[in-house]
Amino acid sequence: MIIVLNKNVSVQQKANIKEFLEKKNFQIREIAGEEETIFGAVGISRVDLREVELLSGVAKVIPISRPYKLASRELKKEDTIVQVSKIKIGGNRIAVIAGPCAVESREQIFAIAKSVSEAGAVILRGGAFKPRTSPYAFQGMGEEGLKIMKEAGDTYGLAITSEVVSSVYVDMMAKYIDIFQIGARNMQNFELLKEVGRAGKPVILKRGLAATIEEWLMAAEYLMAHGTDDVILCERGIRTFEPSTRNTLDLSAIPVVKKLSHLPVIVDPSHATGLREKVIPMALAAVAAGADGLMIEVHNNPDIALSDGPQSLYPEQFEKLMRDIQAMAPVVGKSIEKIPYYQTASIESLPVKDTGGSQQLRQKAAFQGVHGAYSEIALERFFGDRLAAKPCKQFADVFSAVMSGEALCGILPVENSLAGTINDNFDLLLRHPDISVIGEQQIRINHNLIGVEGTKPEELTKVFSHPQGLAQCAEYLDKFPNIERTPFFDTAGAVAYVAEQKNPKFAAIAGKKTAEFYGLSILKEGVETNPRNYTRFYIITREEQAAVVSGGKTPNRGVLVFSTPDTPGALFTCLKIMADYGLNMKKLESRPIHGSPWEYMFFVETELADMAVFTEACGKLKESSETFRILGTFYSDR
Ligand code: PEP
Ligand code: MN
């Protein structure tokens, strides 16, 4: 049952409610949501719900109608996000798990770990105990396999997962792995589920070969009832009459399970299809269907793999697949989960501001706009929850916040795929010599018509948004000639304004998140004319701390700004230097120099393969230009 607590419930009242239920052999989980705090109570004994409702501090009691309780969406409305070392599974992420079917040798697992981590996987898989159909087939390397897999994972920053086939191995395996995997053949091995549940670590629970969705969720319930909250469901194909593929991948299970349960769902297209060339389309289809992650078998030499070679991808195929997923993910509002580019250690080593009391504040990242703005979404994609978002009124305030140290970093939109460069921010970068660009983030811009619940678009008289927001939705707005298009300083601010006015004749155009944030409804989703609408942001920080803040990956982009003498071929000379040093230009923009009419600065974004070559080229550019500055170097996955 779900026990919704009063908003002002006291600690004592909570303790009394817990004691009452525990005496009746119920297990209690406290779930603190944004709106309310609830207790989930599960157990075999029965209790009269009215008795619980009468306890002080209880607002209401709702029975859970499903046979699975802890796993059900009825108990917990928000998606569960499983945290494994530095990475997260669930929410708007796609976490990719990759590796061989079985750990075969040190060389093999290190080679595969290297290639899958370079391609963007965050978790390394590999069986050390293999449940094979034939007793004569390779059975796995056992504990030795786990040891070397952990070493490979540590070397490449990957978390690791491996299948547990018997309860006798649970404690031993817990020393090496981050996530237990329960294989399809063991999905209903209830004694194993209980023992693994007790270990309390995250678990990937494969769907049984012939299991219904309800049986699968009941297996998850076993794990949860015995002590782990972190269950990741994995669809890996079910047995049907169709022999063309190893199993039949049930992709419709994803939306079905997501409705029934709050647990993340991932897909294993390797065991589902059994054939390498079928893995790639099914992996993409899983992403399109809303999967929170993928588990893919990859082998450095599949032709001699000791198990499941025919379904294992070659490293090059996996790399290509990751690039395709990256292109697709924004369409479904997701992004690929990465090993944090920002090493938390380096962020943690920076001085933390003290609020005066015992509570310490997280470092901040400044963005222009109000909460829910696209800039804030981009910030979250980049930093996760490692930094707190600080809203600023103007772009210039973002710079001031970073310069004063009030914020560690800032985010600036610099380019939209339809509207082009956001010049103001390049001008501001020019005016702040102590600011460096240390990263970039791209997000898809998905506009929505947002207003008071129940309003029909034809009843509206005014719609508010940033001028670009209005322009980007012109085709939709043209259908309603009576709606006046009113420009506003930003999209999220327009939503805040409409919420404040509470006028059902007003609406705003902005991102989905703002509707929730300001308590309004989405009247129409996806109103942008061109769905291929992306904005790219720069992450900035003070130059002297750029190295500490950026940490992480080797930069592969440089941003330069320079002016040239007013002589024939001056720009050509600079561009030739770049060509001679093999610097591939990704963007070239000219901006007027303030105070010098008809003179221009050039902004260049270039690929950077080798820092020494880049530095030498910059030296030459400096000689041939009048003013020259490196605005920053950063890692880009474009
Ligand atoms: C595996 O992932 O290696 C495996 C054996 O998968 P399944 O349990 O889904 O067959
Ligand atoms: Mn396998």
Side-chain angles (χ1 to χ4, degrees):
M1 77 191 107
I2 298 165
I3 302 149
V4 182
L5 304 177
N6 279 337
K7 277 211 162 67
N8 50 1
V9 62
S10 71
V11 177
Q12 189 54 50
Q13 284 171 326
K14 276 198 202 172
N16 292 346
I17 301 165
K18 256 194 187 150
E19 196 191 330
F20 174 87
L21 291 162
E22 275 166 0
K23 271 205 189 122
K24 297 197 181 301
N25 286 325
F26 278 94
Q27 275 191 45
I28 317 294
R29 298 285 162 106
E30 181 171 339
I31 301 165
E34 278 184 15
E35 302 277 307
E36 55 192 16
T37 298
I38 63 167
F39 279 162
V42 292
I44 40 174
S45 49
R46 300 211 162 266
V47 66
D48 187 340
L49 298 189
R50 284 167 303 183
E51 240 183 287
V52 183
E53 212 150 38
L54 286 174
L55 298 173
S56 77
V58 173
K60 61 180 169 186
V61 178
I62 309 161
I64 302 176
S65 60
R66 307 277 175 193
Y68 41 88
K69 313 285 178 192
L70 297 169
S72 85
R73 194 57 92 182
E74 286 176 56
L75 179 74
K76 183 166 176 262
K77 298 213 166 29
E78 296 100 49
D79 289 340
T80 283
I81 293 172
V82 175
Q83 172 111 31
V84 185
S85 61
K86 286 185 194 156
I87 64 124
K88 290 178 176 166
I89 303 162
N92 53 13
R93 305 164 182 81
I94 296 168
V96 180
I97 303 166
C101 182
V103 184
E104 297 168 11
S105 69
R106 192 182 168 81
E107 293 69 42
Q108 175 242 21
I109 196 72
F110 268 76
I112 298 172
K114 180 171 190 297
S115 64
V116 299
S117 80
E118 281 171 3
V122 281
I123 301 167
L124 180 65
R125 63 147 286 147
F129 299 92
K130 293 307 301 175
R132 306 298 296 278
T133 307
S134 161
Y136 309 116
F138 174 59
Q139 303 286 308
M141 285 180 75
E143 185 167 357
E144 182 55 25
L146 295 172
K147 246 184 223 168
I148 55 179
M149 182 151 81
K150 178 165 169 47
E151 271 179 54
D154 289 346
T155 306
Y156 296 104
L158 300 164
I160 64 169
T161 182
S162 194
E163 179 171 350
V164 55
V165 291
S166 158
S167 22
V168 285
Y169 297 131
V170 172
D171 291 340
M172 179 276 287
M173 287 187 74
K175 289 191 281 188
Y176 303 105
I177 55 142
D178 301 290
I179 311 175
F180 281 109
Q181 179 179 321
I182 301 277
R185 290 155 196 82
N186 272 317
M187 189 203 83
Q188 283 188 316
N189 181 342
F190 298 118
E191 290 310 313
L192 177 64
L193 295 177
K194 288 184 196 170
E195 204 57 43
V196 171
R198 274 184 210 119
K201 280 200 171 214
V203 184
I204 292 172
L205 177 66
K206 294 271 195 108
R207 181 176 180 184
L209 274 74
T212 63
I213 287 173
E214 185 164 301
E215 285 163 343
W216 189 17
L217 290 171
M218 288 308 288
E221 189 75 10
Y222 259 92
L223 290 165
M224 299 180 85
H226 287 85
T228 178
D229 291 332
D230 295 329
V231 178
I232 301 153
L233 298 163
C234 180
E235 163 62 43
R236 46 79 70 203
I238 46 175
R239 193 58 74 79
T240 67
F241 50 79
E242 176 54 62
S244 309
T245 47
R246 185 171 170 180
N247 292 288
T248 297
L249 181 57
D250 180 12
L251 284 182
S252 57
I254 304 170
V256 173
V257 169
K258 284 202 162 280
K259 184 137 197 196
L260 298 173
S261 174
H262 51 86
L263 296 171
V265 189
I266 66 168
V267 169
D268 169 353
S270 306
H271 292 90
T273 61
L275 296 160
R276 187 177 300 132
E277 82 270 14
K278 312 279 186 287
V279 170
I280 295 171
M282 288 300 100
L284 293 171
V287 171
D292 297 303
L294 294 166
M295 177 183 270
I296 314 257
E297 283 189 346
V298 180
H299 199 289
N300 55 335
N301 198 344
D303 306 319
I304 56 160
L306 296 181
S307 62
D308 285 348
Q311 70 192 32
S312 298
L313 297 190
Y314 289 94
E316 310 80 69
Q317 287 180 304
F318 179 65
E319 199 207 317
K320 158 85 168 56
L321 172 63
M322 289 300 288
R323 294 176 66 80
D324 290 348
I325 296 169
Q326 192 180 326
M328 257 187 73
V331 176
V332 286
K334 297 201 180 206
S335 57
I336 296 186
E337 175 68 349
K338 296 178 193 152
I339 299 166
Y341 166 39
Y342 284 86
Q343 295 165 340
T344 355
S346 59
I347 285 192
E348 278 159 8
S349 74
L350 287 158
V352 172
K353 290 208 173 146
D354 211 309
T355 48
S358 59
Q359 236 219 319
Q360 295 205 310
L361 277 183
R362 267 185 307 163
Q363 292 270 4
K364 288 182 186 152
F367 69 98
Q368 186 274 331
V370 294
H371 283 302
Y374 290 114
S375 290
E376 190 183 27
I377 294 169
L379 253 188
E380 277 171 11
R381 289 272 166 90
F382 193 80
F383 287 111
D385 51 15
R386 288 177 279 279
L387 293 178
K390 175 187 160 50
C392 294
K393 220 174 171 107
Q394 314 273 358
F395 288 128
D397 303 334
V398 172
F399 281 83
S400 314
V402 176
M403 284 309 296
S404 68
E406 209 185 325
L408 180 65
C409 297
I411 192 162
L412 302 169
V414 288
E415 193 171 25
N416 176 269
S417 59
L418 301 178
T421 300
I422 296 143
N423 289 321
D424 291 357
N425 284 330
F426 279 97
D427 290 345
L428 282 163
L429 279 168
L430 264 187
R431 270 189 265 146
H432 289 86
D434 300 328
I435 291 284
S436 282
V437 177
I438 55 157
E440 72 163 10
Q441 179 66 48
Q442 177 180 304
I443 62 165
R444 181 178 170 203
I445 304 295
N446 197 201
H447 291 307
N448 303 277
L449 188 68
I450 295 167
V452 177
E453 196 175 355
T455 308
K456 295 201 170 60
E458 50 274 23
E459 296 161 6
L460 295 169
T461 57
K462 266 188 179 190
V463 57
F464 301 85
S465 190
H466 187 278
Q468 280 210 2
L470 294 169
Q472 288 168 8
C473 301
E475 206 165 275
Y476 176 75
L477 292 173
D478 284 348
K479 291 189 214 152
F480 306 98
N482 297 331
I483 303 182
E484 187 190 329
R485 301 172 202 188
T486 317
F488 214 81
F489 64 93
D490 71 7
T491 54
V495 180
Y497 176 75
V498 171
E500 200 182 284
Q501 297 294 311
K502 292 196 187 82
N503 184 339
K505 292 197 176 328
F506 289 179
I509 283 178
K512 205 171 178 175
K513 230 180 125 180
T514 54
E516 251 168 71
F517 198 88
Y518 296 102
L520 290 177
S521 292
I522 298 189
L523 309 180
K524 171 91 179 141
E525 209 174 325
V527 291
E528 69 276 15
T529 307
N530 187 336
R532 297 177 63 162
N533 184 356
Y534 299 89
T535 295
R536 195 160 71 90
F537 298 81
Y538 276 164
I539 314 294
I540 57 165
T541 194
R542 284 203 313 282
E543 194 183 1
E544 81 267 9
Q545 64 195 19
V548 194
V549 181
S550 56
K553 289 195 176 174
T554 315
N556 58 4
R557 288 279 196 285
V559 203
L560 314 171
V561 59
F562 57 86
S563 61
T564 58
D566 189 12
T567 53
L571 176 61
F572 171 77
T573 309
C574 291
L575 298 184
K576 180 153 187 328
I577 294 170
M578 283 189 251
D580 290 346
Y581 279 90
L583 298 180
N584 184 26
M585 265 202 304
K586 304 297 281 185
K587 183 178 169 72
L588 170 64
E589 190 89 24
S590 70
R591 292 290 304 142
I593 300 177
H594 292 200
S596 305
W598 322 126
E599 288 184 31
Y600 300 89
M601 302 288 286
F602 298 97
F603 282 91
V604 172
E605 226 182 88
T606 142
E607 275 179 1
L608 179 176
D610 182 319
M611 194 50 97
V613 174
F614 177 74
T615 311
E616 202 180 311
C618 287
K620 287 272 182 325
L621 280 168
K622 202 168 177 176
E623 285 167 20
S624 299
S625 50
E626 257 181 6
T627 58
F628 176 84
R629 190 177 139 208
I630 301 175
L631 281 176
T633 59
F634 59 88
Y635 173 78
S636 160
D637 51 20
R638 272 184 304 135

